Amino acid sequence: MLLEVKDLNIEFHDHLTPETVVYDFNLSLKEGEIVGIVGESGSGKTMSALAIAGLLNRKDMKKSGEILFDGKDLLTCKRSELRSYQGNDISMIFQEPMTSLNPVKKIGAQVEESLKIHTNLTKEERYQKAISILNDVEIKDPESVYHKYPHQLSGGMRQRVMIASAMILEPKILIADEPTTALDVTIQAQIIKLLKKLNKQKKTSILFISHDLSLVRTLCHRAIVMKQGYILEEGNIEEIFEHPKEAYTKQLIEAIPALEL
Amino acid sequence: MTIKKKPNYNFIIGSILTGLIVALALVSLVYTPYDPDAMDAANKFAGISLKHPMGCDNFGRDIFSRVMEGTKNTLFVALGTVAIGTVFGILLGAFTGYFGGILDEILMRINDAIFAFPSILLALVIVSLLGSGKYNVMIALGIAFIPSFARIVRAEFLKNRELDYVKSARLMGAGSLRIMFVHILPNTFSVLASSVMIGFNNAVLAEAGMSFLGIGVQPPDASLGRMLSEAQTYLFSTPSYAFFPGLVIILMVLGFSLLSEGISQKSV
């Protein structure tokens, strides 16, 4: 088992009464597997993902449970240890390609960022790797994109760049937090295809967070349905879609527009 | 159809004025028409002539040469002041804005306390502790300038640290220092640039004010503020003595403020 999350609880302590946003979250992720987390806004899916990525380190927040990556608990390990996993083994792409790239740095520098932090490659080697990963995410003319700034690229291109910079060290786990929500439908389909391809080629496990059930169905092997911080249902994708156990899941499935892409 | 962009007059005029003043100061490093400190009793209060384009002062020193020298000293002090203010302001603003918490509270309350003092008054206190002179004025004004830079930088860091690109940098395993100074800091430059120009503006005025009061640049070094205060006595007999240093101060301040205005227009 690559990643195992056991009884994760996330509590906020920034008000008078503590507020729990995620209750008893359990997850297991095998190598090369794509697991979807679906649920409405505020169901705790993003919070769980951020916790797995090690991004929830505010002091007014309490996390309990275990997040085991290769047998190592990411919740209790040292910060320097956590940082050696981040970017190297676990990386993440975000919802808004407009804000997730640094507006004043060139694409090349941003794609190479993980290489600079985790490896001792020379400038030339980094350039080669960056160009080859930009090719892998199907960006046309990577040499010229390398020297561009984010505002010169379209939303779909930026999301590809984000994926490139997340994938450059070939992490074992890629967390995708609604990566297609801000994109239009045709670009959505391309990004999903790209994620599928990367998953096949590089054996990267993907944790795919979305409220779009039809996307989850086309991409994921297994799915977790969340509501108000609880996991309602979990299982193989076909099982969930063909024989949903919970009424809420049924409602979600019925809410998918009938029109096919 | 092409959309014609309205030229940024603030920026153009500001850079020309600032350029002229800076050129004047740079030239004074290698060449002044006369030795700015050389006295010439025969030319005491000499009027405007080809030989002395701005006339001579009460010791017969060439005012044009002294204005060049004074511009250099004033700019030098302003540069030092702004440099101290920006460097410490960035450090303070970056740490408080990025980390927040109790450190932020403590440092920002101290900052508020310094900010509450009029900067000239604060500089007077520091100068009276350290003694007068060019370098002490620089330190004194520099300290007085830190709070405003710290606030600007802090506000930018507060805004930027929540953005996704910072999260994704952290996710790549970047350390706090790398995030602060490699990722966030370049994003504050457009705001910082225009406030640095305003800083220059205020520093020039503050230096002139301090020298006018006699605690800035010490004689025989020329300084624009000092020349103004010396010229007071001869205001009616030799108005050119007060006019030219004053004019240069006005142009300098005008140039910097137009430039600051122009930069903030550009970055919109």
Side-chain angles (χ1 to χ4, degrees), chain B:
Chain B
M1 202 183 87
T2 55
I3 298 167
K4 218 175 178 186
K5 222 176 151 191
K6 207 178 148 212
N8 190 340
Y9 289 117
N10 283 338
F11 188 76
I12 298 168
I13 299 173
S15 3
I16 292 173
L17 281 179
T18 318
L20 281 177
I21 299 286
V22 171
L24 200 66
L26 286 180
V27 169
S28 82
L29 286 175
V30 288
Y31 170 78
T32 49
Y34 294 86
D35 179 355
D37 298 328
M39 300 182 206
D40 181 2
N43 275 321
K44 228 169 152 183
F45 298 121
I48 297 170
S49 65
L50 276 179
K51 267 178 128 182
H52 298 286
M54 293 181 184
C56 290
D57 68 2
N58 51 333
F59 294 116
R61 297 175 293 194
D62 180 45
I63 293 180
F64 184 56
S65 306
R66 286 187 73 72
V67 164
M68 282 174 80
E69 187 76 6
T71 309
K72 184 194 78 185
N73 284 332
T74 302
L75 272 184
F76 178 66
V77 171
L79 197 71
T81 303
V82 172
I84 294 174
T86 337
V87 168
F88 286 97
I90 285 177
L91 285 176
L92 205 61
F95 276 97
T96 54
Y98 185 75
F99 289 112
I102 193 84
L103 177 89
D104 179 33
E105 282 300 323
I106 294 171
L107 287 177
M108 276 299 133
R109 291 300 82 78
I110 296 174
N111 211 14
D112 287 343
I114 297 178
F115 206 55
F117 266 75
S119 59
I120 291 259
L121 203 61
L122 184 69
L124 276 176
V125 172
I126 299 171
V127 163
S128 64
L129 286 174
L130 297 175
S132 57
K134 219 176 352 187
Y135 295 100
N136 287 340
V137 168
M138 225 185 254
I139 295 172
L141 286 176
I143 292 174
F145 274 44
I146 293 173
S148 63
F149 283 112
R151 277 195 180 177
I152 291 163
V153 174
R154 177 175 175 270
E156 286 297 304
F157 268 72
L158 274 179
K159 192 178 86 187
N160 276 283
R161 72 166 184 198
E162 301 298 335
L163 295 182
D164 281 347
Y165 78 84
V166 174
K167 266 191 224 159
S168 80
R170 201 180 310 155
L171 243 174
M172 289 171 186
S176 300
L177 285 178
R178 187 173 172 86
I179 292 175
M180 280 156 66
F181 295 110
V182 178
H183 293 273
I184 302 183
L185 189 60
N187 278 289
T188 67
F189 281 166
S190 60
V191 180
L192 210 53
S194 87
S195 54
V196 162
M197 286 300 146
I198 297 176
F200 262 113
N201 200 345
N202 294 335
V204 166
L205 283 176
E207 190 279 332
M210 304 265 294
S211 295
F212 186 83
L213 295 175
I215 47 175
V217 177
Q218 292 302 306
D221 276 357
S223 143
L224 296 176
R226 186 154 198 101
M227 288 173 80
L228 277 182
S229 99
E230 284 163 0
Q232 277 182 103
T233 335
Y234 317 107
L235 201 55
F236 291 103
S237 56
T238 321
S240 61
Y241 191 8
F243 179 75
F244 289 108
L247 183 72
V248 172
I249 292 180
I250 291 174
L251 290 182
M252 216 188 271
V253 169
L254 188 67
F256 282 129
S257 52
L258 284 177
L259 203 56
S260 135
E261 192 75 11
I263 290 174
S264 55
Q265 261 176 30
K266 265 198 163 176
S267 61
V268 167

Side-chain angles (χ1 to χ4, degrees), chain A residues 53-146:
Chain A
L55 280 180
L56 291 184
N57 42 20
R58 277 167 48 177
K59 290 194 184 69
D60 52 7
M61 199 175 260
K62 214 180 117 198
K63 293 163 288 181
S64 58
E66 280 179 325
I67 299 175
L68 297 171
F69 174 79
D70 263 352
K72 182 104 200 149
D73 189 358
L74 297 184
L75 273 185
T76 53
C77 76
K78 273 196 233 122
R79 205 157 145 58
S80 55
E81 245 175 307
L82 177 65
R83 266 172 50 197
S84 71
Y85 288 119
Q86 288 177 331
N88 225 344
D89 296 319
I90 302 176
S91 61
M92 184 163 178
I93 51 180
F94 296 96
Q95 184 172 353
E96 264 296 335
M98 299 292 166
T99 57
S100 46
L101 289 170
N102 191 336
V104 300
K105 296 184 88 186
K106 287 188 175 163
I107 298 300
Q110 305 202 42
V111 173
E112 289 175 5
E113 179 71 11
S114 306
L115 293 180
K116 269 192 200 153
I117 295 168
H118 294 285
T119 68
N120 296 317
L121 298 179
T122 62
K123 208 169 167 232
E124 184 54 30
E125 287 168 323
R126 289 203 302 261
Y127 177 78
Q128 293 303 338
K129 273 207 131 173
I131 295 295
S132 93
I133 193 80
L134 285 174
N135 257 322
D136 284 349
V137 296
E138 291 159 7
I139 281 180
K140 290 183 196 100
D141 199 7
E143 285 87 0
S144 81
V145 169
Y146 185 90

Side-chain angles (χ1 to χ4, degrees), chain A residues 192-254:
Chain A
I192 295 298
K193 245 173 91 183
L194 175 65
L195 287 177
K196 258 188 175 164
K197 188 187 98 178
L198 291 173
N199 167 256
K200 269 217 180 97
Q201 275 180 1
K202 316 213 180 222
K203 294 267 167 287
T204 307
S205 311
I206 299 177
L207 197 57
F208 185 80
I209 298 161
S210 180
H211 54 243
D212 190 331
L213 279 156
S214 52
L215 285 182
V216 170
R217 189 172 190 174
T218 54
L219 181 69
C220 302
H221 305 133
R222 280 192 304 127
I224 292 172
V225 181
M226 287 187 80
K227 190 192 181 189
Q228 290 175 353
Y230 289 98
I231 291 183
L232 278 188
E233 195 169 348
E234 186 188 351
N236 280 330
I237 203 80
E238 288 312 315
E239 223 173 280
I240 282 191
F241 275 87
E242 300 302 330
H243 311 287
K245 282 179 221 129
E246 298 285 328
Y248 179 69
T249 317
K250 272 180 205 154
Q251 285 170 9
L252 277 182
I253 293 166
E254 279 159 19

